[in-house]
Each structure stands twice: as structure tokens, then as C-alpha cells.
Amino acid sequence: MAEQKLPPVTAKRLPLYYRYLEKLHAVGKGRVSSAELSEALQIDSATIRRDFSYLGELGKKGYGYNVQYLLQFLREFLKQDEVANVVLIGVGNLGTALLRYNFYRSHNTKIVAGFDIDPNKIGTYVDGIPIYPLNRLKEVALLHDVDVAILTVPVNAAKTVFDEVVSAGIHGILNFTPVRLTVPPHVRVHHIDLTTELQTLIYFLKNFPPEDESS
Ligand code: ATP
């Protein structure tokens, strides 16, 4: 299947293309060149052409891509119509911000519930999303066929919560805690460590300053 041969870096970029093409389609644009996409998305145009070449014959040289056709193709490819249900565990500051954000820009993901152990938070709602006690995770995950859990718990709770998520049958984890844990092969974990990212950026700015624009 073509999907299996797709390089992971390309697969990661497809939702970006999809979102931008949706915008173009909404304003009635029928055609787009790889140069225009490159400018808007800050991705090298050769990379864009290569990404699209994995998907088959999608455009003609000098003509660009047909927005509607590309959009339909990517929608099917990404199964944008299939909603992936997501839960969030740890409704603190970061967790609350993510619940409020609720990934509205993407139509195919939806946070269906939040979980916490704080009795003051359990039973409340954040932007209409109910907050349940952690011991109801399995039941809610089963009911909503949950694919992904976002972890925004403190470091000391990460291991226990990780185990709970795995035993609830959830296969995808977006881990915002700095803890790295070993998980079974059928579970996929992506780590997002905002503090380290910020510190790394500052380190690079200090030690390898970007070139002066005027030079
Ligand atoms: P706040 O100020 O609301 O406590 P915070 O982001 O500073 O937010 P953290 O200590 O990082 O607080 O905790 C994040 C959230 O994780 C809190 O709401 C806390 O109640 C919750 N939490 C802690 N342990 C667990 C656990 N084992 N399972 C689920 N949630 C937990």
C-alpha cells in the first residue's frame, strides 16, 4: 500500500498541506503552485514536489496543482472524515490550555474528556469538556473508542498514569511530561518537552546567533 511506503517526514507534513489547501479552497482558489505552497508554508518547494510525488500523479509541470483535487485526495489519504477521539489527563495549567484549544483547526481530532485526581476539578467542565476521575479512564476510553491520551500530569504521576493509559487500551500517547518511559510495542508515544525546547532554542540563539539580516 502507498500509505506504508510514505516516509514519516512526508506523512507529518500532509496535514499542513491539507489545512492550507482548505484555506485556498475556501477563498475560491482553483490552482496552486509548489512555489506558492512553499512560500506560505515555509517548506522548500523541491520537498513539496517530492512529497506529492509519493502520492501519485497530482500535478502537471508549469500548471501547478488543482486545489480541489489535491484536497480530496489528501482528505481520503488522511481519512480526515474519521474523527480520532482524544482524552487529556492532568487538568492543570497546561492541560486546561490544551482543553480550551481543543485542536479546533483540525477537524479530525476531538478531546472528548479530561481526567484528574483533584476532587475540586472532577465533575467540572472546561469549555464543555467533562472532567472525570482517573479511575473512570478505561470506561470512558471504551465508550468513545479513544485513540490518543495527552499527558499533562506532574512528573511524579507520569509513570502511574502511563500504566493506566496502556491498560485502558489506548495506543497513542502525547507526552508533555519530561519523563521517558518504556511502553509495549503496540503503543506509540510522542514526547513534547516544552521546557527543553525553549532552553535549546535559547542555547542556540546565544551560541550560534542567526545571521544578521543586513549582512
Ligand atoms: P495547577 O496549578 O492547576 O495545579 P499545574 O499545571 O501547575 O496546575 P501540576 O502539578 O503540573 O499542576 O498538575 C497538573 C494536573 O495534574 C493537576 O490538575 C493535578 O491535579 C493533576 N494530577 C496530579 N496527579 C495526577 C494523577 N495521578 N492522575 C491524574 N491527574 C493528576
Side-chain angles (χ1 to χ4, degrees):
M1 245 166 81
E3 235 165 301
Q4 278 161 356
K5 277 188 264 152
L6 203 66
V9 283
T10 297
K12 255 186 152 171
R13 280 190 289 266
L14 296 185
L16 297 178
Y17 298 138
Y18 182 83
R19 276 212 297 272
Y20 187 68
L21 288 161
E22 254 192 337
K23 274 192 205 159
L24 293 181
H25 187 58
V27 297
K29 205 160 168 7
R31 242 194 270 171
V32 67
S33 66
S34 49
E36 284 172 84
L37 284 171
S38 166
E39 171 76 23
L41 299 170
Q42 292 295 298
I43 299 170
D44 183 57
S45 61
T47 305
I48 296 179
R49 283 196 297 274
R50 199 179 50 242
D51 283 350
F52 288 174
S53 74
Y54 289 115
L55 307 175
E57 282 296 312
L58 293 177
K60 285 194 215 105
K61 208 166 170 48
Y63 172 90
Y65 301 96
N66 179 306
V67 172
Q68 194 171 359
Y69 178 77
L70 199 52
L71 202 52
Q72 251 165 26
F73 189 93
L74 286 175
R75 184 179 296 131
E76 251 172 58
F77 200 87
L78 294 166
K79 298 199 181 71
Q80 287 279 336
D81 298 331
E82 241 173 63
V83 175
N85 285 338
V86 177
V87 292
L88 179 138
I89 307 170
V91 190
N93 291 311
L94 181 58
T96 303
L98 291 174
L99 285 180
R100 294 226 165 94
Y101 179 63
N102 204 0
F103 307 93
Y104 282 129
R105 277 189 304 162
S106 151
H107 304 303
N108 68 336
T109 51
K110 185 171 177 238
I111 302 185
V112 292
F115 291 85
D116 210 289
I117 46 158
D118 181 346
N120 293 319
K121 293 177 182 173
I122 293 165
T124 64
Y125 290 80
V126 175
D127 261 11
I129 303 166
I131 312 303
Y132 297 111
L134 192 65
N135 60 17
R136 290 191 57 194
L137 179 64
K138 202 172 204 157
E139 166 204 335
V140 175
L142 220 73
L143 182 71
H144 291 281
D145 196 11
V146 169
D147 302 295
V148 171
I150 300 176
L151 297 197
T152 46
V153 290
V155 171
N156 60 8
K159 168 87 178 96
T160 338
V161 172
F162 233 83
D163 294 344
E164 296 268 351
V165 169
V166 173
S167 80
I170 298 171
H171 297 294
I173 298 174
L174 193 58
N175 178 25
F176 278 88
T177 82
V179 181
R180 299 287 175 268
L181 293 157
T182 348
V183 282
H186 67 277
V187 176
R188 187 174 177 104
V189 185
H190 282 204
H191 301 279
I192 300 182
D193 187 339
L194 294 175
T195 312
T196 307
E197 288 294 330
L198 189 59
Q199 280 165 351
T200 311
L201 175 63
I202 293 166
Y203 171 84
F204 274 94
L205 281 181
K206 272 194 194 140
N207 294 285
F208 307 97
E211 276 172 36
D212 192 340
E213 238 176 71
S214 56
S215 67

